[in-house]
Amino acid sequence: MTTQLYDLTIPVFLRGFHAMSGFLAKGEAWAAENGVDSAALLTARLFEDMAPLTGQVQRASDAAKFTAVRLGGVENLAMADEETSFADLQDRIAKTVAFLKAVPREAIDGKEDAAVTLTTPRATFDFTGRDYVLNFVLPNFYFHVTTAYGILRHKGVPVGKMDFLGGV
């Protein structure tokens, strides 16, 4: 039996957002317990030219949503990138998860050889569906989830590998 693109995307994203929701909750609780202004975590970056914690969550959300849009032809759920609190980030994750759960398997499966074009301000990239998922989407999604985790860990939030993995 072959692995289907749906299995490589939607369940992976759902698991990633479950883990992200968990480590964000730990970050919020840690800030409250230790008298740390939550804004200090939400605006923290690993390096000055990188997006802050809020931006990492937003980009992970976009990466997942745009997979369904570009590969599955699903209508996008626009989000304004206006999150300024942990509650806002949790709400964005919940909306993204609901969006992903509504993506029909048949919209993604069978698109391994479909043409996918990604246009950025700097370049245009042409992929097959398989290459888009394996060589762009999954690395991009995990980059942002990992960076969000790394920001919290760097700031002292007691999260560990199992938090990142989502409690396997």
Side-chain angles (χ1 to χ4, degrees):
M1 175 184 244
T2 60
T3 301
Q4 300 294 319
L5 282 185
Y6 182 93
D7 296 326
L8 294 174
T9 55
I10 304 303
V12 171
F13 299 146
L14 295 175
R15 185 167 184 261
F17 286 121
H18 172 75
M20 183 182 271
S21 178
F23 62 70
L24 287 172
K26 280 192 170 187
E28 181 178 26
W30 177 85
E33 291 165 7
N34 290 282
V36 174
D37 181 5
S38 63
L41 293 180
L42 295 164
T43 61
R45 303 165 189 264
L46 290 180
F47 198 74
E48 63 191 40
D49 68 346
M50 295 178 77
L53 179 62
T54 54
Q56 299 303 330
V57 176
Q58 292 161 351
R59 297 299 70 79
S61 168
D62 289 345
K65 291 187 309 137
F66 283 126
T67 301
V69 171
R70 291 186 183 113
L71 195 58
V74 175
E75 185 176 338
N76 189 27
L77 171 62
M79 296 185 185
D81 295 346
E82 297 174 339
E83 294 80 15
T84 59
S85 69
F86 280 102
D88 290 344
L89 292 178
Q90 294 288 5
D91 185 55
R92 181 169 183 134
I93 289 170
K95 287 178 183 174
T96 304
V97 164
F99 172 82
L100 294 171
K101 285 183 175 180
V103 174
R105 175 179 278 280
E106 57 273 9
I108 305 293
D109 282 347
K111 302 288 178 73
E112 291 79 8
D113 296 319
V116 177
T117 300
L118 171 64
T119 302
T120 72
R122 296 183 191 166
T124 298
F125 303 93
D126 293 311
F127 299 97
T128 64
R130 178 184 303 102
D131 289 340
Y132 174 62
V133 167
L134 295 175
N135 298 323
F136 182 79
V137 168
L138 294 176
N140 186 46
F141 176 74
Y142 278 116
F143 173 85
H144 294 293
V145 174
T146 301
T147 302
Y149 168 90
I151 289 169
L152 293 174
R153 178 82 175 162
H154 178 70
K155 287 299 188 178
V157 176
V159 291
K161 187 174 185 178
M162 292 309 290
D163 295 300
F164 179 83
L165 294 175
V168 182

